[in-house]
Amino acid sequence: MRVRDWSLTTKLVTSVVALFLAVTVAIGGATVLVMGQRLTQQVDEQLLEQSRMVDRGGRLGDGDDVLRACTSRPPGTGEGMLRLCLQDGSALSDYVIAGGDYSRLTTAQVGTIARSGVGGQPRSVDVDGLGDYRLVAAYRSGTTIVTGVPLQRVQASIQELLRTITLASLTGLALMGLLGTWLVRRNLRPLRRVADTATRVSRLDLARGEVAPIERVPDELTSPRTEVGQVGHALNTLLDNVDSSLTARHRSETRVRQFVADASHELRTPLASIRGYAELSRKEREPVPGGVRHALDRIESEAKRMTTLVEDLLLLARLDAGRPLEHAPVDLSLLVLECVSDAQVTAPDHRWELDLPGAAIEATGDRGRLQQVLVNLLANARSYTPAGTMIRTSLGVEGERAVIRVLDDGPGIPESLQPNLFQRFTRGDTARNRAAGSTGLGLSIVDAVVKAHHGDVRVESVPGRTEFTVALPLR
């Protein structure tokens, strides 16, 4: 997972731990370096004091007694101390204190010291078989007297210090990780509460209808003095604007629905009068000219179409207003059988198929509205497919739901039309047209009625196969 995908808690804790680690490494490294230099400086001071004693010769015996200076043990020295006297590149005398006894240096060790070029200033040399030594040279009567002190104790002290720092750093790192995680989570808890509020609001259904009061961020999390408070205040301001917009939208939708309902209701009476007068005029005893009869037929046909449109609009307005539907047992098997039989009589040029289960399936709902759902789906399949198209209607049970499917092998629905298929006044350029008598409300009525029954409807369509699926709760 990429760093930018980490949670804020992980980023903060990681940053704090990394910073602590960097500071610890820097301080620990500096401590070890300074301590190493200090210990080495103490060794150098000891060596330089011994070198000065050799040069003065006072405390080592007579100035001319070089051999005694080469074989004497300087005060303050101990285990591992070595001394080598060189004259014209040859060793006059040498020894190293090992285990409290004096031992001779090997030829290789003497050669390493002789080639090291040690002078009046201390120098570190890796002596074969003895390890690292700090060496310094003094000069007496043409003889070079090399004195050396081992660095094992210095190195051991540095290693012990390094182990101590490492252990303390690891312990501190673990504690920093645990305490840092706890502190970061504790301080981010208010931000999490703000995020939880935003999450709950995002799950509200704000698409249509009246919206319940929207939750706000608590007042204690909206202080402008804190970063979390600024976020909470901004979110509350956003929610206030959303709430105001939704309220205004709901009022506007309510007025539109009321207008549609009122207009549809008021149009029913004049439309009925128009149809009645048209029918009455055709029944006059006096001969009616052909042109007038055609006009009367068109008036009656258009009045019927307008009546259907008005009834559909009035039904949608009632469903939008949340008018309760009837709740009674409905025999879906019988309902499907009747609707398919009626459709077959209306369009005998299509191939109608029916697939019903052996036992009757019942659901609770409004029989008249459910019948309208089936009639609209079958009419949709019949009207927008050519003659000879197979239309299969099936009924079954899936879980706690009754499922009705209407399948045809017609040309299908354009993909660009499918997302808006159940919206009002949706028509395609070719399939949905006024010549076919479509008002663009049939499928929106199907969607509204099914949702009023707490069900759902969906469509899947490709060329050669279109299927509408209606799922209704059994109880």
Side-chain angles (χ1 to χ4, degrees), residues 4-255:
R4 65 181 182 183
D5 296 330
W6 290 2
S7 67
L8 182 58
T9 300
T10 303
K11 289 181 179 179
L12 290 176
V13 172
T14 302
S15 300
V16 170
V17 170
L19 181 61
F20 174 81
L21 181 61
V23 172
T24 302
V25 170
I27 294 176
T31 302
V32 171
L33 181 62
V34 171
M35 182 61 70
Q37 292 176 347
R38 181 57 183 163
L39 293 177
T40 303
Q41 183 180 1
Q42 292 178 354
V43 172
D44 290 347
E45 291 174 355
Q46 180 183 1
L47 285 174
L48 290 173
E49 178 62 24
Q50 294 175 6
S51 177
R52 286 192 291 271
M53 292 170 61
V54 171
D55 290 338
R56 290 195 302 266
R59 288 193 294 175
L60 295 176
D62 296 334
D64 297 332
D65 194 357
V66 177
L67 183 59
R68 186 177 179 183
C70 292
T71 58
S72 65
R73 178 174 178 176
T77 60
E79 183 71 19
M81 179 264 180
L82 67 78
R83 174 158 286 180
L84 171 64
C85 294
L86 296 171
Q87 192 174 51
D88 297 330
S90 300
L92 296 180
S93 174
D94 61 83
Y95 68 85
V96 61
I97 301 175
D101 297 330
Y102 288 79
S103 301
R104 296 294 304 273
L105 296 173
T106 65
T107 303
Q109 293 169 347
V110 171
T112 299
I113 296 172
R115 291 191 300 271
S116 66
V118 63
Q121 294 299 321
R123 173 182 295 185
S124 296
V125 178
D126 183 10
V127 180
D128 299 336
L130 297 179
D132 292 331
Y133 266 72
R134 198 70 173 169
L135 303 178
V136 69
Y139 303 95
R140 290 278 300 275
S141 304
T143 302
T144 301
I145 304 175
V146 180
T147 304
V149 176
L151 292 177
Q152 283 88 344
R153 290 184 179 179
V154 174
Q155 294 171 344
S157 298
I158 295 299
Q159 292 175 357
E160 182 63 26
L161 177 62
L162 187 60
R163 283 193 296 267
T164 302
I165 292 176
T166 301
L167 181 60
S169 299
L170 292 176
T171 303
L173 195 64
L175 291 175
M176 180 63 70
L178 294 175
L179 293 177
T181 301
W182 179 77
L183 287 173
V184 168
R185 287 181 176 177
R186 184 175 182 274
N187 285 279
L188 288 181
R189 195 174 300 156
L191 183 60
R192 191 172 295 109
R193 291 177 61 190
V194 174
D196 291 341
T197 300
T199 301
R200 287 191 293 271
V201 172
S202 69
R203 292 172 180 169
L204 295 176
D205 184 10
L206 307 178
R208 62 180 64 184
E210 185 175 5
V211 179
I214 298 178
E215 180 183 0
R216 299 294 196 277
V217 177
D219 292 338
E220 63 268 20
L221 300 180
T222 59
S223 172
R225 294 189 298 271
T226 65
E227 289 79 1
V228 174
Q230 294 171 10
V231 174
H233 178 72
L235 180 59
N236 275 353
T237 302
L238 173 63
L239 294 178
D240 289 340
N241 293 334
V242 171
D243 201 5
S244 300
S245 300
L246 291 176
T247 301
R249 185 201 68 183
H250 178 64
R251 290 174 180 170
S252 176
E253 289 180 348
T254 301
R255 288 194 294 267

Side-chain angles (χ1 to χ4, degrees), residues 238-314:
L238 173 63
L239 294 178
D240 289 340
N241 293 334
V242 171
D243 201 5
S244 300
S245 300
L246 291 176
T247 301
R249 185 201 68 183
H250 178 64
R251 290 174 180 170
S252 176
E253 289 180 348
T254 301
R255 288 194 294 267
V256 170
R257 291 193 192 103
Q258 188 62 43
F259 169 76
V260 172
D262 293 343
S264 301
H265 182 75
E266 294 299 328
L267 286 173
R268 295 172 75 183
T269 299
L271 285 173
S273 298
I274 292 172
R275 290 180 58 187
Y277 280 114
E279 292 176 0
L280 184 61
S281 298
R282 288 194 290 109
K283 294 179 180 179
E284 288 289 336
R285 293 181 180 181
E286 298 297 329
V288 180
V292 175
R293 179 174 295 276
H294 176 72
L296 292 174
D297 290 341
R298 293 304 305 153
I299 291 173
E300 186 176 358
S301 174
E302 291 301 314
K304 289 181 180 179
R305 194 171 72 85
M306 283 292 296
T307 301
T308 301
L309 175 60
V310 167
E311 293 293 340
D312 288 347
L313 288 173
L314 188 58

